[in-house]
Amino acid sequence: MLTLKTSEPESGRRAEKRRELALHTLTALAELGFARINLREVAARSGTQLGSIHYYFEDKTDLLLCAVRLYTEEFIGGLEQLIRNATSAQELIEQGCAALASAITEKAEMHRLWYDARAQAMYDPAFRAVVSELETALTALTGHFLERLRQFGFGGLPGDALATYLQMDGWFRYCLQRHLGGDQGARDELVRRMRELIENAPRGPA
């Protein structure tokens, strides 16, 4: 749980207000990025009172991490639902690739914010616990994806969810960066690379 301004346990009402403010400022945070962010500008862009932000968040790191966690958990939840609802390996692959490709075109700034937080975790210990928690969740999501494919008889997939996540994440970040740089082919590139990664895995017993 993120550190609060006071030592009091976080009440349900306080937690909900923090969530509301973080969601309200998420777009401004995503546009600015951590290096350029300050709470006054976030307040101005989001129409939120600066005093409210200062009351509910210790500093810009606290606000940023709360927002990153909320968005990433929502992203993971959507993919989990897609995995659960798939009725065949082909449907799962097609819809999974399409969802990731849409993420880099429709939610590019949000995902850029996630990579911003990950980069900051290399320098600032305040970021490490949340980033580690979310990367653990993303690795588990990848493991669920692989297991679901095996349940559909799609055999021969690698058993190492972390290794697969890192490969997928590498292509996702690369294509996101290209899209943000104006490359109109980045979306299709991501779909192609993800398909290759899954479909060209060594075949073996299911």
Side-chain angles (χ1 to χ4, degrees), residues 6-69:
T6 74
S7 59
E8 299 174 353
E10 185 170 56
S11 67
R13 186 169 184 174
R14 184 181 179 88
E16 182 57 33
K17 186 61 178 180
R18 279 167 55 85
R19 181 180 186 279
E20 178 186 325
L21 285 171
L23 288 173
H24 197 54
T25 60
L26 192 53
T27 300
L29 287 165
E31 289 175 357
L32 295 169
F34 183 79
R36 296 167 51 212
I37 196 175
N38 65 72
L39 295 184
R40 187 175 298 279
E41 186 162 4
V42 169
R45 289 195 180 204
S46 64
T48 304
Q49 292 294 323
L50 181 61
S52 294
I53 295 178
H54 278 301
Y55 180 75
Y56 285 101
F57 295 96
E58 183 174 315
D59 52 25
K60 70 175 185 178
T61 297
D62 191 17
L63 175 59
L64 177 70
L65 288 176
C66 185
V68 166
R69 174 184 272 151

Side-chain angles (χ1 to χ4, degrees), residues 142-143 146-147 149-150 154-165 167 197-198 200-203:
T142 305
L146 295 174
E147 181 56 33
L149 285 175
R150 292 189 192 97
F154 202 85
L157 288 166
D160 188 338
L162 176 59
T164 304
Y165 160 65
Q167 290 180 73
L197 195 158
I198 299 164
N200 295 341
R203 285 291 172 271

Side-chain angles (χ1 to χ4, degrees), residues 38-109:
N38 65 72
L39 295 184
R40 187 175 298 279
E41 186 162 4
V42 169
R45 289 195 180 204
S46 64
T48 304
Q49 292 294 323
L50 181 61
S52 294
I53 295 178
H54 278 301
Y55 180 75
Y56 285 101
F57 295 96
E58 183 174 315
D59 52 25
K60 70 175 185 178
T61 297
D62 191 17
L63 175 59
L64 177 70
L65 288 176
C66 185
V68 166
R69 174 184 272 151
L70 288 172
Y71 176 72
T72 307
E73 287 178 348
E74 180 184 356
F75 176 67
I76 290 172
L79 291 176
E80 281 282 9
Q81 184 174 3
L82 184 154
I83 292 168
R84 286 194 304 270
N85 293 343
T87 58
S88 69
Q90 193 60 34
E91 179 185 332
L92 179 53
I93 292 169
E94 288 180 1
Q95 292 191 2
C97 289
L100 293 176
S102 293
I104 70 168
T105 55
E106 297 173 13
K107 298 289 185 178
E109 289 78 11

